[in-house]
Amino acid sequence: MKTSVKVNKSFQDKLLLLEQTVEERVQDELKSVADYAISVSPVATGAYVESFSFTVGAGRPRGKSSANRPKVSREQATSAAKANLYSDLEKFDLDGPDRITLRNNAPHARAVEDKHGYSVFTKVRNKFGG
């Protein structure tokens, strides 16, 4: 014995719409993480904020040194940082990974986080979990 159920196109369209909505929500949440991390970060030369990257698994994280870089405006540096992170997100197929990592590979990232007391990653974890 067996029975079959026909799935009509309307139902399939609704499932597709639901999938797209969930993916958009995940994208929005990750952009909020990016925006917040950038907003609580110091900016002098822009090297620290421009060193943020989103990664899935192994990958070469972004890392810029502040050595010999001129001072820049906060707006200029944060705009570049946002563009980098948003570009990272566009590369991911959000159906696949179960973990996306925000990283900062600037040579002075540990000093910014701990020594200078900005605690950027602690603030991000406190706000978004992780």
Side-chain angles (χ1 to χ4, degrees):
M1 278 183 78
K2 70 178 186 176
T3 186
S4 297
V5 176
K6 182 177 181 182
V7 179
N8 66 29
K9 178 143 174 52
S10 173
F11 182 72
Q12 289 174 335
D13 290 346
K14 288 176 186 169
L15 282 177
L16 181 59
L17 181 61
L18 179 61
E19 190 176 299
Q20 290 169 342
T21 301
V22 168
E23 189 168 322
E24 287 170 7
R25 287 241 170 127
V26 170
Q27 280 273 3
D28 289 346
E29 184 71 6
L30 290 169
K31 285 179 180 178
S32 293
V33 169
D35 294 345
Y36 181 73
I38 291 166
S39 75
V40 297
S41 295
V43 172
T45 64
Y48 180 78
V49 292
E50 290 176 29
S51 293
F52 280 118
S53 58
F54 278 118
T55 59
V56 176
R60 185 175 171 102
R62 213 173 269 113
K64 309 236 183 233
S65 172
S66 60
N68 300 318
R69 281 182 69 147
K71 300 236 185 252
V72 296
S73 73
R74 179 166 190 83
E75 183 179 332
Q76 180 183 2
T78 58
S79 177
K82 231 182 242 195
N84 286 340
L85 288 170
Y86 286 17
S87 174
D88 290 346
L89 293 175
E90 289 177 16
K91 295 174 188 170
F92 300 142
D93 174 10
L94 295 177
D95 287 339
D98 62 348
R99 181 176 301 260
I100 295 175
T101 304
L102 176 67
R103 300 174 75 171
N104 191 305
N105 204 41
H108 56 296
R110 181 59 51 202
V112 169
E113 184 73 11
D114 299 329
K115 182 179 174 189
H116 300 299
Y118 285 96
S119 304
V120 174
F121 284 89
T122 300
K123 291 174 184 173
V124 170
R125 274 190 299 276
N126 287 343
K127 183 169 176 112
F128 296 97

